[in-house]
Amino acid sequence: MNATPTAALLTAPAAVPLLAAAAYALTPVRAPRPVPVRVRVRRPVGVGAHTGAAGPLPDRATGVLAGQGAGEPPGRVTGMLPGQAAEAPDGGPVGTPARSPGAPVSPRRQPAAWAGLVSPLVILLCGGLLAVRVPRTGPLTAWSGLLRADALSVWMLLVVGAVALIACGSGPAYLAGERAAGRASRRTAWRYQVLVQAFLAAMCLAVVTANLGVLWVAVEATTIVTAFLVGHRRTRTSVEAAWKYVVICSAGIALAFLGTVLIYYAARQAGVAESWALDWPTLVAHAGRLDAGVTRLGVTLVVLGFGAKAGLVPLHAWLPDAHSQAPAPVSALMSGVLLSVAFSAILRYRVIADAALGAGFTRVLLAGIALLTLALAAGLLLAQRDHKRMLAYSSMEHMSLIALATAVGSPLALSAALLHIAGHGLAKSAAFCAAGRILQLTGTSRIGRIRGLLGRAPLLGGVFGCAVAALLGFPPFGLFASELGIARAGFAAGSGLAWATAAALLLVLTAFAALAARTAHMLLGPAPERPTSHSRTGTWPLLLALVACAALGTATGPLTGLLRAAAGAIGGR
């Protein structure tokens, strides 16, 4: 493979979404074509119309031309003033009948929304082509080493592309429902598409870059972009959640920046050239020469900083608010893949720390954070009454399991962690997209107010139930295999980690019971006498996600070699 195709494969995952965002941004939002508005005019008997020398004047009470149009029955007129073609909240012209909440705008009328699928497909295509090449030839680089694809990068690219395909495929139907309910317009839908594409570009750049400084910039860019997506509805609650997200994640990113500066300082003191002092392969090669004290402090700050973006304690408080207020497809992207992208940065730094300090330091640090996060998530799940916040706390639970597997650090544990990242992304994206449709159907996110969902909307309820079953670790879904692998690796790692694994399993069972009980309350029970009509458009991505998650639980197939190589790239030897 020569340099040009390699550079194209490494550049396209970030460049194509960025170009798509620019294309959306430069496309004008066209107002709907004006249509005549018929208004019934009632006048007191004996009172004439307002007239002038040049003809009839607009009636002050009705805003339409007084008089009778040609061919119109008495008492009806046809007319339109400038400004009556303005857009209504549901996206249609003023004067058209409002759509009922159960009859959303058809996504087929939004061809531009489906153009958003191009970026996920390109990401998947590039990831697939790299998955064929990288395990056999080793890492590929482009642009003087700025971009680099090893097995971990390729695995994360595939996860980003798969989750993005689900979220972008569900987007048109979700936005149609929002416009029908009066919570969105064509302009807000246009802004949504711009931000989502920029979000994908930032995550892909974070995955394929070899420079830790560029990695920090890309993760910070995801914070800026998603802050506007969290506040998409512009309600008081969503704006408050967006500010909370910005403040907490900015604090975390500041810690990660300080840790990155300390690692840079340690590399320069070790004699690494200035231009390569943040290059990840160079740092791994020279890790034994890094100052132990500076490296220990830098890695601790990096784990806490990027851990904030991954939903780990102590900077985790943004996660339930942001996930519950963001549009459902955005929640799917944030929970399904943004948390994992942030944690992949921790995986990179762990390799440096283990080579410089030994495996014991990161083992204790990550195991402690994992158990604290898992305990907090399990306790909050027991008291949760909102189904979107319930899914957010479930994300904390699963990220803590990934952190525990990383603390174990064996090849089996790291392979199970990477498999868990993929399975969690697929299952959680289906769950959040289904939760968004449930919110549109029922008008509430309160678990206590939702009953008989299987009888009310069998397909939607079945998808949500299967997605939660996948998150609970039921076979044949991928999370069953990954959690089993994490448990086996933990008990085989020694007495300290064995006790930590046992405690984690007890906490997982607590979270399991809470999640299962609340989901059963939503799905079961008597259905309403008059079922609410809802659109089944946009369900295919959720079914595709569940099928893919089940396939991962059955066999990794052609991804087996890539999974082993990715575990080896982060120290699973």
Side-chain angles (χ1 to χ4, degrees), residues 47-146:
V47 179
H50 300 283
T51 58
L57 298 176
D59 186 87
R60 296 178 181 175
T62 62
V64 298
L65 295 177
Q68 181 177 323
E72 293 293 325
R76 296 191 65 88
V77 297
T78 302
M80 172 168 288
L81 294 178
Q84 282 185 321
E87 186 181 2
D90 67 348
V94 172
T96 57
R99 298 178 179 91
S100 63
V105 181
S106 174
R108 297 184 182 90
R109 300 180 183 177
Q110 309 172 59
W114 294 108
L117 289 175
V118 173
S119 297
L121 292 175
V122 169
I123 296 171
L124 279 176
L125 177 62
C126 293
L129 293 175
L130 290 170
V132 174
R133 183 72 177 177
V134 168
R136 293 185 297 174
T137 63
L140 302 174
T141 60
W143 306 111
S144 300
L146 181 63

Side-chain angles (χ1 to χ4, degrees), residues 11-427:
T11 306
V16 171
L18 193 61
L19 291 174
Y24 274 115
L26 296 175
T27 302
V29 183
R30 299 185 182 276
R33 186 172 58 185
V35 296
V37 180
R38 298 177 181 269
V39 180
R40 184 180 297 275
V41 180
R42 297 180 179 179
R43 304 186 188 90
V45 177
V47 179
H50 300 283
T51 58
L57 298 176
D59 186 87
R60 296 178 181 175
T62 62
V64 298
L65 295 177
Q68 181 177 323
E72 293 293 325
R76 296 191 65 88
V77 297
T78 302
M80 172 168 288
L81 294 178
Q84 282 185 321
E87 186 181 2
D90 67 348
V94 172
T96 57
R99 298 178 179 91
S100 63
V105 181
S106 174
R108 297 184 182 90
R109 300 180 183 177
Q110 309 172 59
W114 294 108
L117 289 175
V118 173
S119 297
L121 292 175
V122 169
I123 296 171
L124 279 176
L125 177 62
C126 293
L129 293 175
L130 290 170
V132 174
R133 183 72 177 177
V134 168
R136 293 185 297 174
T137 63
L140 302 174
T141 60
W143 306 111
S144 300
L146 181 63
L147 301 183
R148 181 177 183 271
D150 57 9
L152 176 62
S153 302
V154 176
W155 183 266
M156 292 305 301
L157 267 184
L158 292 175
V159 175
V160 171
V163 175
L165 182 65
I166 298 162
C168 293
S170 302
Y174 177 82
L175 291 175
E178 291 294 286
R179 288 176 59 187
R183 292 188 294 264
S185 65
R186 291 187 180 183
R187 183 169 296 277
T188 56
W190 165 82
R191 183 171 60 246
Y192 168 91
Q193 296 291 351
V194 173
L195 294 172
V196 165
Q197 296 298 321
F199 184 24
L200 293 179
M203 287 193 293
C204 289
L205 179 60
V207 166
V208 299
T209 186
N211 188 287
L212 298 181
V214 177
L215 170 63
W216 180 87
V217 171
V219 174
E220 171 65 10
T222 63
T223 303
I224 297 172
V225 173
T226 49
F228 292 99
L229 288 169
V230 170
H232 175 75
R233 289 187 175 181
R234 297 188 178 183
T235 63
R236 179 178 179 179
T237 308
S238 64
V239 172
E240 180 182 349
W243 275 110
K244 188 175 183 178
Y245 171 62
V246 168
V247 170
I248 295 177
C249 286
S250 294
I253 289 298
L255 292 177
F257 176 76
L258 182 57
T260 303
V261 170
L262 290 175
I263 296 297
Y264 175 84
Y265 172 79
R268 294 289 291 134
Q269 292 297 109
V272 180
E274 180 180 355
S275 58
W276 297 98
L278 287 178
D279 181 66
W280 183 73
T282 303
L283 286 171
V284 173
H286 295 83
R289 296 160 51 188
L290 299 180
D291 181 85
V294 175
T295 303
R296 185 178 293 107
L297 179 58
V299 170
T300 301
L301 292 174
V302 164
V303 170
L304 292 176
F306 286 123
K309 291 288 292 187
L312 301 175
V313 296
L315 300 175
H316 63 280
W318 65 270
L319 191 144
D321 295 285
H323 283 40
S324 63
Q325 294 302 317
V330 175
S331 298
L333 284 171
M334 293 177 69
S335 180
V337 73
L338 175 60
L339 304 184
S340 300
V341 168
F343 195 85
S344 69
I346 296 177
L347 292 175
R348 297 288 186 188
Y349 277 95
R350 173 189 168 275
V351 179
I352 300 171
D354 286 356
L357 307 170
F361 172 71
T362 54
R363 179 173 296 168
V364 173
L365 179 62
L366 289 173
I369 291 176
L371 289 177
L372 288 175
T373 305
L374 187 55
L376 181 64
L380 292 172
L381 278 171
L382 288 173
Q384 195 46 239
R385 298 295 181 266
D386 183 289
H387 63 76
K388 289 193 73 176
R389 294 176 70 90
M390 174 185 74
L391 294 176
Y393 288 124
S394 171
S395 297
M396 291 177 58
E397 172 206 351
H398 287 283
M399 293 309 299
S400 63
L401 288 176
I402 295 170
L404 180 62
T406 305
V408 175
S410 65
L412 175 59
L414 293 176
S415 297
L418 295 174
L419 182 62
H420 202 88
I421 285 174
H424 174 256
L426 293 170

Side-chain angles (χ1 to χ4, degrees), residues 520-534:
H521 182 280
M522 296 171 61
L523 297 179
L524 305 179
E529 297 181 359
R530 181 179 298 177
T532 305
S533 61
H534 70 286

